[in-house]
Amino acid sequence: MTGETIAMPVPWTARAPGALDAEGFEELFGRCFGEIHTYVAQRLGPDHAEDIVAETFFTAFRKRAQYDPSRASVRAWLYGIATNLIGKHRRLEARTLRALGRFGPEADSPGHEDSVAVRVSAQSLRPELASALAELDRRDRDVLLLVALAGLTHEEIATALGIPYGTVGSRLNRARKKLRARLGEVRVHG
């Protein structure tokens, strides 16, 4: 993620809870699909992203009456749903990261489209970083990757994951310390 954010039109923030109608939801899908897909692909790889993103938007559509714009931006709400679904696939994510740690990203990609997909996926991670991420507690990894890949603020992460603001900071701090220590070991021993 390049740090750009999705600017939602004013009506999204002005609507009352539960006001995400079918037409508005179609607009939401069009605006946010690519960003959520990129995030999921970076976490689980492109092969699994389509299913998880489809499930994210299906869940959001089913729960649209529960969406409360006073609690979170629609973007943070979608990232929270996606992260929870990724959590259900935590073994897949950890297995993918460990495999990338052993073998690294694929060496060649036949076409431009494939090279773009590899660049935005978990496969583009350096092997050392992938291994270090795999060793993190899932909750710490979620917070770290919501900051690093999605560019969410601490407040947005707290709302998206349903955790206290201070917990976001402590999980992020813990994850960063573990990564620094692990990556420092790799540099010394590698």
Side-chain angles (χ1 to χ4, degrees):
M1 184 80 217
T2 61
E4 60 185 71
T5 59
I6 301 292
M8 297 308 294
V10 174
W12 283 107
T13 56
R15 292 180 181 182
L20 293 176
D21 57 16
E23 182 180 306
F25 198 85
E26 184 178 337
E27 179 187 339
L28 170 69
F29 181 86
R31 288 181 170 274
C32 296
F33 177 86
E35 182 179 357
I36 300 298
H37 186 276
T38 299
Y39 169 72
V40 174
Q42 289 173 317
R43 299 272 315 252
L44 298 177
D47 294 341
H48 302 284
E50 291 291 326
D51 292 339
I52 301 301
V53 174
E55 192 174 347
T56 297
F57 280 94
F58 179 70
T59 300
F61 186 78
R62 274 193 359 255
K63 295 184 176 189
R64 69 189 185 279
Q66 298 168 7
Y67 170 66
D68 182 355
S70 68
R71 289 198 59 226
S73 71
V74 72
R75 181 175 174 259
W77 181 60
L78 289 171
Y79 273 108
I81 293 169
T83 300
N84 286 334
L85 292 170
I86 289 168
K88 292 180 180 180
H89 297 84
R90 66 184 172 274
R91 285 190 217 123
L92 169 64
E93 181 181 37
R95 191 169 48 242
T96 300
L97 289 168
R98 282 192 297 275
L100 291 170
R102 287 190 300 272
F103 305 113
E106 292 179 17
D108 55 19
S109 296
H112 173 70
E113 189 174 305
D114 291 333
S115 67
V116 170
V118 168
R119 235 184 17 249
V120 298
S121 74
Q123 296 173 14
S124 67
L125 294 172
R126 290 192 338 242
E128 304 85 18
L129 180 58
S131 291
L133 286 170
E135 293 177 11
L136 292 176
D137 177 82
R138 179 190 57 84
R139 296 171 302 176
D140 294 347
R141 184 171 54 235
D142 285 345
V143 170
L144 177 73
L145 293 178
L146 281 168
V147 168
L149 302 178
L152 295 185
T153 66
H154 285 52
E155 186 174 314
E156 289 174 317
I157 294 168
T159 302
L161 299 180
I163 59 176
Y165 181 90
T167 301
V168 173
S170 61
R171 286 181 184 176
L172 183 59
N173 187 42
R174 184 172 42 245
R176 286 177 173 163
K177 281 182 181 178
K178 287 180 180 179
L179 282 180
R180 274 190 225 108
R182 174 73 168 112
L183 293 175
E185 285 176 20
V186 170
R187 287 190 188 112
V188 171
H189 295 50

